[in-house]
Amino acid sequence: VPVWTLPLVLLRDIGGPAGAFVLVLRRIRTRMPARHAGKVVTWLQFAGVALVLLWPSTAAWVAALVGVAGVVALRDYARAARRQRAERV
């Protein structure tokens, strides 16, 4: 399994806390409940691990799929945080 696949699979899990850290630095307080897109990424991560364990040659495709879903989820979380902030102002 190529080493570069791990950061793609964990993209949402790395990006979420990074985004939260940026909000803390900017002193922006917000609550972010679970989002549907994030749940989909979690499911894809678990399914992806199973696929890679059964068929290691699928690692690149699985990582790409989970990475794209992670970007979509991160954008969804960012959009929700902006919308929530705009409603408070």
Side-chain angles (χ1 to χ4, degrees):
V1 177
V3 175
W4 60 265
T5 59
L6 184 60
L8 280 180
V9 171
L10 296 176
L11 185 66
R12 190 254 339 221
D13 297 315
I14 295 167
F21 185 66
V22 168
L23 291 176
V24 168
L25 289 177
R26 292 182 176 181
R27 299 178 192 265
I28 298 171
R29 295 182 55 114
T30 186
R31 289 184 53 96
M32 189 56 57
R35 312 267 311 154
H36 182 70
K39 298 291 186 182
V40 169
V41 174
T42 301
W43 185 88
L44 286 172
Q45 286 173 326
F46 278 102
V49 167
L51 280 172
V52 171
L53 288 174
L54 294 171
W55 298 285
S57 62
T58 64
W61 292 103
V62 168
L65 174 65
V66 174
V68 167
V71 169
V72 170
L74 287 173
R75 290 188 70 201
D76 180 53
Y77 279 113
R79 216 174 328 184
R82 277 194 303 270
R83 189 177 312 122
Q84 196 177 73
R85 185 172 171 210
E87 289 173 359
R88 288 185 188 169
V89 174

